[in-house]
Each structure stands twice: as structure tokens, then as C-alpha cells.
Amino acid sequence: MIIAAGGGRRIGGPEALLRLGERPLVDRMVVTMIEAGCDPTVVVLGAAADEVRRTAELDGATVVVNQAWGTGVGSSIRAGLAALTDDAIEAVVVVPVDMPGLTVEAVRRVVALPYPDVLVCATYGGLRGYPMLFGRRHWAGIATLARADVGARPYLLAHKDLIVDIACDAVADGSRVDSPELMTLYGLSVPPQRIGA
């Protein structure tokens, strides 16, 4: 699941419109997830969803639009989980779209334990980050507690003793682009939005 619904007020435009050169970052994230073996791959859009659909390819992904994106990442997690209706899916890996340093190797490390009772977090410098893997048995609890801009954090804090930490420092950059300075550092841009988009 790729969370790409935020309005990106700190970076000057919706996160799903971030571009690395001529290519939308969301397309690169879809390719990363598919190459890592994530099937299905769900992209949760929100802010500027229509424009994202016009400018991104999103090939191989199931697109879900979170109409309540303005309430925070919690609603996007709930929308993404609701889209995973196949009972054969035992776990879901979650990443935000604003991680240009995410790699196939990092996703593969985190999804190596795709069981219904797992909670897995990538770590960078000993700190937890994305990707995160949520086993199906945790989905209802995560959806219940996922509120505002804290996402799954309340559920993870309540179940911290169950979390398996997987070090990804050597294979990925866990930074999230949340400032104009980081956009410049990673060579990202957000195109001007069309009126009414």
C-alpha cells in the first residue's frame, strides 16, 4: 500500500505530484513495490487525485481515492485496508510516497515475514520507519486507532513488544521529503497545480 493522499503544505503541493525529473515519484514507488513482490499494490490518492491520474501511469496498481484525505494519514490507511478484500492476503506492507530513497531490497526485507499475526518496521539508525508490514489480524485494530496524522502509531505503541525491527540502513534511505530543502536535496519538484484540480 502506497499512501499518496496528503496535501503537502510543507513542500508546496500534493505529495502524489512529486516528480523526480520527468517521472512522477508515485510511479517509481509502484514499480518498487511490484518488483518487491507486492501483489496487489494499492495506491491511496487524495489531494489532487484527478491530476495525479492524468499525469501518472500507475500501471499495475489498484487506485483508491480517500475523499477524507484532509483529516490525516489515518483515513488513508483505513481506505487502503478497506480495499484489500481478498481473504488470501495475510499481510500488507505500507509506505508513504515521499520516500525517494526507498528500494526494492528494503521492501523485500520487511515483507519476508508475510504472516497474519506480524508487525514489522524497517529501522534506520535504530529508529523505526517505513516500510511497515501489518498482518491481517492487526488490521481491524489499526483501522480503529488510525486517526488524524498519527496513522498506525497508537496501535504500534500499544503493541510495541510484538514488533519485529528490520534494519534497512544498508539498503535504503529512510528519509521522508517534508521540506523544500529536502526536495532540493533529492532533486524533486511539484508542478504547478491546475485550478480546480
Side-chain angles (χ1 to χ4, degrees):
M1 180 194 312
I2 300 167
I3 304 295
R9 14 174 232 282
R10 287 178 289 196
I11 61 170
E15 295 156 5
L17 293 177
L18 281 168
R19 299 184 80 81
L20 186 58
E22 293 300 310
R23 188 175 189 191
L25 189 57
V26 68
D27 283 339
R28 183 173 170 206
M29 296 296 276
V30 168
V31 170
T32 297
M33 298 293 272
I34 291 173
E35 287 184 0
C38 301
D39 181 29
T41 295
V42 174
V43 178
V44 182
L45 299 179
D50 290 341
E51 186 165 352
V52 175
R53 283 182 158 164
R54 283 193 299 269
T55 59
E57 294 178 11
L58 303 172
D59 290 345
T62 299
V63 176
V64 176
V65 177
N66 173 18
Q67 302 294 346
W69 64 268
T71 63
V73 70
S75 62
S76 293
I77 290 173
R78 290 193 302 276
L81 290 175
L84 298 172
T85 57
D86 184 347
D87 290 338
I89 300 171
E90 295 193 328
V92 61
V93 63
V94 179
V95 298
V97 73
D98 58 359
M99 278 185 72
L102 183 70
T103 63
V104 171
E105 292 80 6
V107 177
R108 284 181 178 157
R109 282 189 181 194
V110 171
V111 301
L113 302 168
Y115 306 116
D117 57 348
V118 301
L119 290 171
V120 180
C121 288
T123 64
Y124 304 90
L127 300 175
R128 288 179 176 149
Y130 291 95
M132 295 180 181
L133 183 72
F134 304 148
R136 180 178 280 276
R137 291 183 188 150
H138 298 283
W139 293 2
I142 289 170
T144 299
L145 294 180
R147 296 286 177 252
D149 259 346
V150 294
R153 193 177 314 146
Y155 188 86
L156 294 175
L157 286 173
H159 297 83
K160 60 186 176 187
D161 294 338
L162 301 179
I163 298 173
V164 176
D165 292 324
I166 303 291
C168 291
D169 312 69
V171 296
D173 178 348
S175 301
R176 295 186 62 190
V177 176
D178 60 2
S179 70
E181 293 77 19
L182 284 174
M183 285 181 60
T184 300
L185 180 65
Y186 286 96
L188 298 171
S189 62
V190 177
Q193 286 84 69
R194 299 176 185 173
I195 301 301

